[in-house]
Amino acid sequence: MNKYIHNMKITDAVVLGSEKPVLFAGPCAVESFDICIEIGSKTKALADKYGFSYVFKASFDKANRTSSSSFRSIGMDKSLEVLQRVGKELGVPLVTDIHESYQAKEVAEVVDVLQIPAFLCRQTDLLLAAGETGKAVKIKRGQFMAPEDMQYAVTKVRSTGNNNICLTERGFTLGYHNLVVDMRSLPVMRQFAPVVFDITHSVQQPGGQGGSSGGERHFAPFLARAAAAAGVDGFFIETHPEPSKALSDGPNLIPLGKMEGFLEMLKDSWELGNKYQHLDV
């Protein structure tokens, strides 16, 4: 299978699908400016060291939490202010999720990439609203979607005249509280758009801790190496200085102190996979 011929331009310096992998990384949610700038500063330095383009990631609202009592947000306005400040101080592009069509325009004034959550990848109005902003659109494959069917989500965004689109793999549902990654989905989706591998949510156990999601982060290095070697254009990683104290998705976050070794491993695997991209049988 051939790689999709188009790239996703985030900024002039950050292009997904180019010769340099893109790292989308940060905390799961905007908890505070201090947490965001700590994570962003450290991760940007490591991305530069190991040859990744860097996009800071944090959700301004966690609208899809398992329980209504779980942390969602410090507020849309305050979260967007934090994101804007982080982007300016670090000089990096930003990505965050949107969950409702009306959010697209306001959020696009702050960030460079609009992320469509996996559960919402079929929502036509949301995809169109994201596309119409002119910003890059990052669509997560739904846990219930066949990889070949993600071409229709891409087509919806492209119908707005926006070709800056990528797809993200994060596993499919197998039974209860369990996700499995089919590595064949990567080359399949790469026919339609550049592909990012979501390392963090591929080891998530949705709802696996009763009122919250669990995770098996010890499997993250194995899946990350496999995806890098299989061939992807970027990686999505959520990280935190103390995952056990994170306000969301703690069990599957990569500890910030482990990120250097993780990124070094990831780049080595990506370069190996890239070497054999054109091998066919």
Side-chain angles (χ1 to χ4, degrees), residues 183 186-187 190 197 221-232 235 265-278:
M183 292 297 165
L186 303 175
R190 221 170 177 205
F197 182 61
F222 301 97
L223 293 179
R225 287 198 299 269
V232 291
F235 303 92
M265 171 203 73
L266 204 55
K267 186 64 184 301
D268 287 346
S269 297
W270 184 85
E271 289 178 344
L272 178 64
N274 214 39
K275 180 179 178 180
Y276 296 104
Q277 278 301 297
H278 302 293

Coordinates of all heavy atoms in Angstrom, one line a residue, residues 183 186-187 190 197 221-232 235 265-278:
M183 N -2.3 -3.4 13.8 CA -1.3 -2.6 13.1 C -1.6 -2.5 11.6 O -1.0 -1.6 10.9 CB 0.1 -3.2 13.3 CG 0.6 -3.1 14.7 SD 0.8 -1.3 15.2 CE 1.0 -1.5 17.0
L186 N -2.8 1.0 10.3 CA -1.9 2.1 10.0 C -1.7 2.3 8.5 O -2.0 3.4 7.9 CB -0.6 1.9 10.7 CG -0.7 1.8 12.2 CD1 0.6 1.5 12.9 CD2 -1.4 3.0 12.8
P187 N -1.3 1.2 7.7 CA -1.1 1.4 6.3 C -2.5 1.6 5.6 O -2.6 2.3 4.6 CB -0.4 0.2 5.8 CG -0.7 -0.8 6.9 CD -0.7 -0.1 8.1
R190 N -3.4 5.2 6.1 CA -2.4 6.1 5.5 C -2.6 6.3 4.0 O -2.0 7.2 3.4 CB -1.0 5.5 5.7 CG 0.1 6.5 6.1 CD 1.3 5.9 6.6 NE 2.4 6.8 6.9 CZ 3.7 6.5 6.8 NH1 4.1 5.3 6.5 NH2 4.6 7.4 7.1
F197 N 0.0 7.9 15.6 CA -0.3 6.8 16.5 C -0.5 7.3 17.9 O 0.4 8.0 18.5 CB 0.7 5.7 16.5 CG 0.4 4.5 17.4 CD1 -0.7 3.8 17.2 CD2 1.2 4.2 18.5 CE1 -1.0 2.7 18.0 CE2 0.9 3.2 19.3 CZ -0.2 2.4 19.1
P221 N 5.5 0.9 25.6 CA 6.7 0.8 24.7 C 6.6 -0.2 23.6 O 7.1 0.0 22.5 CB 7.8 0.4 25.7 CG 7.3 0.9 27.1 CD 5.8 0.7 27.0
F222 N 5.8 -1.3 23.9 CA 5.7 -2.3 22.9 C 4.9 -1.8 21.7 O 5.2 -2.0 20.5 CB 5.1 -3.6 23.5 CG 5.9 -4.1 24.6 CD1 5.6 -3.8 26.0 CD2 7.0 -5.0 24.4 CE1 6.3 -4.3 27.0 CE2 7.8 -5.5 25.4 CZ 7.4 -5.2 26.8
L223 N 3.7 -1.2 22.0 CA 2.9 -0.7 20.9 C 3.5 0.4 20.2 O 3.4 0.5 19.0 CB 1.5 -0.3 21.5 CG 0.6 -1.4 22.1 CD1 -0.6 -0.8 22.7 CD2 0.3 -2.4 21.0
A224 N 4.2 1.3 20.9 CA 4.9 2.4 20.3 C 6.0 2.0 19.3 O 6.0 2.5 18.2 CB 5.5 3.3 21.4
R225 N 6.8 1.0 19.7 CA 7.8 0.5 18.8 C 7.2 -0.2 17.6 O 7.7 0.0 16.5 CB 8.7 -0.5 19.5 CG 9.7 0.1 20.5 CD 10.8 -0.9 20.9 NE 10.3 -2.1 21.5 CZ 10.2 -2.3 22.8 NH1 10.5 -1.3 23.6 NH2 9.8 -3.4 23.3
A226 N 6.1 -0.9 17.8 CA 5.5 -1.6 16.7 C 4.9 -0.6 15.7 O 5.1 -0.8 14.4 CB 4.4 -2.5 17.2
A227 N 4.2 0.4 16.2 CA 3.6 1.4 15.3 C 4.7 2.2 14.6 O 4.6 2.5 13.4 CB 2.7 2.4 16.1
A228 N 5.8 2.6 15.3 CA 6.9 3.3 14.7 C 7.5 2.5 13.5 O 7.8 3.1 12.4 CB 7.9 3.7 15.7
A229 N 7.7 1.3 13.8 CA 8.3 0.4 12.7 C 7.4 0.1 11.6 O 7.8 0.0 10.4 CB 8.8 -0.9 13.4
A230 N 6.1 0.1 11.9 CA 5.1 -0.2 10.8 C 5.0 1.0 9.9 O 4.6 0.8 8.7 CB 3.7 -0.5 11.5
G231 N 5.2 2.2 10.4 CA 5.2 3.4 9.6 C 4.1 4.3 9.9 O 2.9 4.1 9.5
V232 N 4.4 5.4 10.6 CA 3.4 6.5 10.9 C 4.1 7.8 10.7 O 5.3 7.8 10.6 CB 2.8 6.4 12.3 CG1 1.9 5.1 12.4 CG2 3.9 6.3 13.4
F235 N 3.3 10.9 16.4 CA 2.9 10.2 17.7 C 2.2 11.1 18.6 O 2.5 12.3 18.7 CB 4.2 9.6 18.3 CG 5.0 8.7 17.5 CD1 6.0 9.2 16.7 CD2 4.7 7.4 17.4 CE1 6.8 8.4 15.9 CE2 5.4 6.5 16.6 CZ 6.4 7.1 15.8
M265 N 13.9 5.8 22.2 CA 13.5 4.5 21.6 C 12.6 4.7 20.4 O 12.7 4.1 19.4 CB 12.7 3.8 22.7 CG 12.0 2.5 22.3 SD 10.6 2.0 23.4 CE 9.4 3.3 23.0
L266 N 11.6 5.7 20.6 CA 10.6 5.9 19.5 C 11.3 6.4 18.2 O 11.0 5.9 17.1 CB 9.7 7.0 20.0 CG 8.3 7.0 19.4 CD1 7.6 5.7 19.5 CD2 7.4 8.1 20.1
K267 N 12.3 7.3 18.3 CA 13.0 7.8 17.1 C 13.8 6.7 16.5 O 13.8 6.6 15.2 CB 13.9 9.0 17.5 CG 14.5 9.6 16.3 CD 13.4 10.3 15.4 CE 14.0 10.9 14.1 NZ 15.0 11.9 14.3
D268 N 14.4 5.8 17.3 CA 15.2 4.7 16.7 C 14.3 3.8 15.9 O 14.6 3.4 14.8 CB 15.9 4.0 17.8 CG 17.1 4.7 18.3 OD1 17.5 5.7 17.7 OD2 17.6 4.3 19.4
S269 N 13.1 3.5 16.5 CA 12.2 2.6 15.8 C 11.6 3.2 14.6 O 11.4 2.5 13.6 CB 11.0 2.2 16.8 OG 11.6 1.5 17.9
W270 N 11.3 4.5 14.7 CA 10.7 5.2 13.5 C 11.7 5.2 12.3 O 11.3 5.0 11.2 CB 10.4 6.6 13.9 CG 9.7 7.4 12.8 CD1 8.3 7.4 12.5 CD2 10.3 8.3 11.9 NE1 8.1 8.2 11.4 CE2 9.2 8.8 11.0 CE3 11.6 8.7 11.7 CZ2 9.5 9.7 10.0 CZ3 11.8 9.6 10.6 CH2 10.8 10.1 9.8
E271 N 13.0 5.5 12.6 CA 14.0 5.5 11.6 C 14.2 4.1 10.9 O 14.3 4.0 9.7 CB 15.3 6.0 12.1 CG 15.3 7.5 12.4 CD 16.6 8.0 13.1 OE1 17.4 7.2 13.5 OE2 16.8 9.2 13.1
L272 N 14.1 3.1 11.7 CA 14.2 1.7 11.2 C 13.0 1.4 10.3 O 13.1 0.9 9.2 CB 14.2 0.7 12.4 CG 14.3 -0.8 11.9 CD1 15.6 -1.1 11.2 CD2 14.1 -1.7 13.2
G273 N 11.8 1.8 10.8 CA 10.6 1.6 9.9 C 10.6 2.4 8.7 O 10.2 1.9 7.6
N274 N 11.1 3.6 8.7 CA 11.2 4.5 7.6 C 12.1 3.9 6.5 O 11.9 4.1 5.3 CB 11.6 5.9 8.0 CG 11.0 7.0 7.2 OD1 9.8 6.9 6.9 ND2 11.7 8.0 6.9
K275 N 13.2 3.3 7.0 CA 14.2 2.7 6.1 C 13.5 1.7 5.1 O 14.0 1.5 4.0 CB 15.3 2.1 6.9 CG 16.4 1.4 6.1 CD 17.4 0.8 7.0 CE 18.6 0.2 6.2 NZ 19.6 -0.4 7.1
Y276 N 12.5 1.0 5.6 CA 11.9 -0.1 4.8 C 10.5 0.3 4.3 O 9.7 -0.6 4.0 CB 11.9 -1.4 5.7 CG 13.2 -1.9 6.0 CD1 13.7 -1.7 7.3 CD2 14.0 -2.6 5.0 CE1 15.0 -2.2 7.6 CE2 15.3 -3.0 5.4 CZ 15.8 -2.8 6.6 OH 17.0 -3.3 6.9
Q277 N 10.2 1.5 4.3 CA 8.8 1.9 3.9 C 8.4 1.5 2.5 O 7.3 1.2 2.2 CB 8.7 3.5 3.9 CG 8.4 4.0 5.3 CD 7.1 3.5 5.9 OE1 6.0 3.7 5.4 NE2 7.2 2.7 7.0
H278 N 9.4 1.4 1.6 CA 9.1 1.0 0.2 C 9.2 -0.5 -0.1 O 9.0 -0.9 -1.2 CB 10.0 1.8 -0.7 CG 9.8 3.3 -0.5 ND1 8.7 4.0 -0.8 CD2 10.7 4.2 0.0 CE1 8.8 5.3 -0.6 NE2 10.0 5.4 -0.1

